[in-house]
């Protein structure tokens, strides 16, 4: 930390009042001086530092307890900055993706030499993203540098999507925490690499696999999106190798017909102290006091928006296990819910 104490500052959604700009200038000054600033994005909160300052970047890894070979995404405020840090010439499909930006989408390209190896985790590629969130973009612009930012959680914990969860993990670790309210999407950006032919989807998110196929025609899905890795397996994204998103108590996923899931948890509730994450329409049928609601069955965007805060909420309950209902298929944003829940549960799925 470069400040004595973590400063919490509140900024409005549009980050456009004179007061907002003053506060963001203060935060950008911290970034320029090599400090750490937590900022809101439309996906999850990020723990940011100057991506070109190796010492500052190293302090991100330290604050999170993150392995140093797990690379960081650089956040830019405008598409025109991409070619400053990435080789873009002749990359098929890049224009199709940049047309979507700003977006909850991260693209991996070959890195230019000005991007420190501390930021790329030693790789010769770099992930970049232009956030939709106005406060995030304003902060980057005022900082006059790309901001390297992983999700602002302690390594392994669920990503924070509200300022309460940020404070839980990052108070006294970051110099500044910008409170920009709740993150609308609630699940991290889609990650795609254009360094492979065809491009490979490494992490699903709000920008869906179907949308990417529509734009790029052929996209592979890394098998690590839904499967566990074999020991020693070579992977395209180092983050896939680590335990992720886990609350304190074990998570078990239930897949299958709704009535079977309800019957299963009701039987378990008789002999185990459990919490259940389910849809609104199932709630009344579940005989367990700690039933956490993930929204309506036909609205998996709502499930995505809540999933991390629900997982964190289970830490406050007097329970031994968490059961979570999986969406009925993996289309659209449901693929992202599957991906996060698979990791949170260490691939513990029961098919009913
Ligand atoms: O929505 C998001 O993407 C959020 C917000 C703050 O922007 N950020 C985020 O960062 O989720 P993080 O560090 O928690 O997840 C980034 C993932 C990691 O799994 C990392 O391994 C992978 O992206 N990654 C970063 N650079 C990479 C690269 N050059 N090649 C392959 N994977 C990369
Ligand atoms: Mg993360």
């Amino acid at each position: 930390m470069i400040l004595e104490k973590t400063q919490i500052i509140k900024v409005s959604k549009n980050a456009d009042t004179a007061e907002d700009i003053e506060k963001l200038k203060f935060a950008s000054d911290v970034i320029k001086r090599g400090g750490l600033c937590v900022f809101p994005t439309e996906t999850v909160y990020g723990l940011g530092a100057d991506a070109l300052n190796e010492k500052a970047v190293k302090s991100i890894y330290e604050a999170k307890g993150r392995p140093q070979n797990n690379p960081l995404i650089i956040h830019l405020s405008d598409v025109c900055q991409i070619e400053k840090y990435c080789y873009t010439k002749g990359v098929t499909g890049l224009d199709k993706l940049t047309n979507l930006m700003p977006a909850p989408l991260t693209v991996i390209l070959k890195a230019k030499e000005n991007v420190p190896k501390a930021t790329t985790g030693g790789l010769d590629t770099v992930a970049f993203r232009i956030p939709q969130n106005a406060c995030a973009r304003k902060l980057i612009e005022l900082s006059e540098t790309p901001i390297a930012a992983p999700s602002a959680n302690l390594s392994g914990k669920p990503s924070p999507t509200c300022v309460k969860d940020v404070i839980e993990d990052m108070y006294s670790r970051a110099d500044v925490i910008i409170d920009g309210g709740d993150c609308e999407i609630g699940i991290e950006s889609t990650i795609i690499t254009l360094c492979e032919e065809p491009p490979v989807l490494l992490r699903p998110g709000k920008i869906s696999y179907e949308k990417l196929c529509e734009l790029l025609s052929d996209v592979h899905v890394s098998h690590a999106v839904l499967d566990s890795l074999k020991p020693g397996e070579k992977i395209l994204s180092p983050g896939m190798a680590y335990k992720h998103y886990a609350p304190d108590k074990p998570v078990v996923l239930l897949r299958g017909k709704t009535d079977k899931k309800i019957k299963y948890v009701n039987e378990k509730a008789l002999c185990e102290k459990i919490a259940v994450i389910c849809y609104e329409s199932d709630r009344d049928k579940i005989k367990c006091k700690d039933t956490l609601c993930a929204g309506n069955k036909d609205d998996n965007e709502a499930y995505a928006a809540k999933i991390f805060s629900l997982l964190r909420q289970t830490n406050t309950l007097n329970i031994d296990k968490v059961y979570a209902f999986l969406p009925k298929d993996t289309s659209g944003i449901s693929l992202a819910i599957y991906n996060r829940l698979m990791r949170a549960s260490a691939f513990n799925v029961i098919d009913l």
Side-chain angles (χ1 to χ4, degrees):
M1 283 182 67
I2 59 163
L3 302 182
E4 265 175 36
K5 191 168 164 268
T6 304
Q7 304 281 320
I8 302 177
I9 57 181
K10 203 172 168 65
V11 170
S12 71
K13 270 269 174 268
N14 296 332
D16 56 357
T17 67
E19 203 185 327
D20 289 335
I21 303 298
E22 268 322 296
K23 288 177 180 168
L24 290 175
K25 274 190 184 148
F26 170 78
S28 66
D29 193 47
V30 165
I31 297 275
K32 284 180 185 172
R33 288 163 52 209
L36 291 178
C37 171
V38 176
F39 61 99
T41 83
E42 70 281 16
T43 57
V44 302
Y45 273 83
L47 172 64
D50 179 352
L52 306 181
N53 176 340
E54 208 156 318
K55 194 161 164 243
V57 166
K58 284 188 175 153
S59 68
I60 295 181
Y61 290 95
E62 220 170 276
K64 270 183 72 91
R66 177 175 172 120
Q68 304 246 351
N69 69 343
N70 191 1
L72 305 174
I73 297 171
I74 65 168
H75 294 68
L76 309 173
S77 58
D78 195 281
V79 282
C80 70
Q81 294 155 3
I82 300 169
E83 61 184 348
K84 266 191 182 166
Y85 309 105
C86 308
Y87 288 102
T88 58
K89 241 198 188 133
V91 179
T92 320
L94 179 61
D95 55 335
K96 297 271 185 359
L97 299 182
T98 54
N99 278 342
L100 296 177
M101 296 178 184
L105 175 66
T106 296
V107 177
I108 297 174
L109 293 173
K110 283 270 173 272
K112 287 202 169 159
E113 288 61 29
N114 55 354
V115 184
K117 285 283 187 243
T119 304
T120 65
L123 300 176
D124 61 358
T125 58
V126 65
F128 75 89
R129 137 165 157 82
I130 301 163
Q132 248 163 15
N133 181 287
C135 171
R137 281 209 314 283
K138 196 77 210 168
L139 176 70
I140 302 161
E141 199 185 303
L142 291 169
S143 301
E144 297 170 322
T145 186
I147 296 185
S151 48
N153 50 282
L154 291 174
S155 199
K157 295 227 291 172
S159 303
T161 55
C162 61
V163 80
K164 175 180 144 289
D165 293 350
V166 167
I167 290 171
E168 191 175 291
D169 282 14
M170 285 302 148
Y171 194 82
S172 82
R173 290 174 185 266
D175 297 287
V176 177
I177 293 175
I178 303 175
D179 176 357
D182 294 350
C183 305
E184 311 87 80
I185 297 173
I187 213 158
E188 307 91 336
S189 61
T190 304
I191 304 182
I192 185 167
T193 175
L194 295 183
C195 298
E196 301 289 319
E197 190 64 58
V200 181
L201 174 66
L202 298 176
R203 182 174 71 183
K206 163 98 190 233
I207 305 288
S208 66
Y209 168 66
E210 293 84 350
K211 177 78 187 171
L212 293 171
C213 287
E214 191 186 303
L215 294 170
L216 303 174
S217 69
D218 193 11
V219 178
H220 278 194
V221 179
S222 164
H223 90 92
V225 164
L226 291 182
D227 299 333
S228 56
L229 297 170
K230 292 171 194 71
E233 184 181 337
K234 190 179 171 291
I235 39 167
L236 287 173
S237 182
M240 289 173 172
Y242 298 109
K243 191 178 172 216
H244 256 108
Y245 319 121
D248 296 344
K249 295 291 153 53
V251 178
V252 179
L253 308 181
L254 301 179
R255 183 162 51 191
K257 290 237 159 57
T258 305
D259 52 346
K260 289 194 174 163
K261 291 182 201 160
I262 293 171
K263 185 163 176 273
Y264 187 88
V265 293
N266 282 342
E267 277 169 17
K268 289 290 173 194
L270 297 173
C271 52
E272 290 178 3
K273 280 195 282 181
I274 63 169
V276 180
I277 298 177
C278 66
Y279 291 104
E280 180 68 55
S281 52
D282 309 328
R283 201 174 196 167
D284 290 346
K285 297 173 207 142
I286 293 174
K287 297 181 187 72
C288 154
K289 88 173 160 37
D290 293 313
T291 307
L292 308 178
C293 184
N296 289 326
K297 200 163 274 168
D298 51 5
D299 182 7
N300 280 312
E301 297 216 339
Y303 197 161
K306 286 182 175 175
I307 188 63
F308 289 139
S309 62
L310 292 180
L311 288 172
R312 275 183 185 254
Q313 215 177 304
T314 65
N315 293 343
T316 65
L317 304 173
N318 178 24
I319 52 155
D320 296 323
K321 206 180 267 180
V322 180
Y323 287 98
F325 287 16
L326 282 169
K328 75 171 187 321
D329 60 32
T330 55
S331 63
I333 201 157
S334 297
L335 182 62
I337 299 172
Y338 263 77
N339 169 265
R340 306 313 192 269
L341 283 176
M342 286 292 192
R343 284 182 162 66
S345 70
F347 300 89
N348 190 355
V349 188
I350 297 178
D351 278 300
L352 296 168

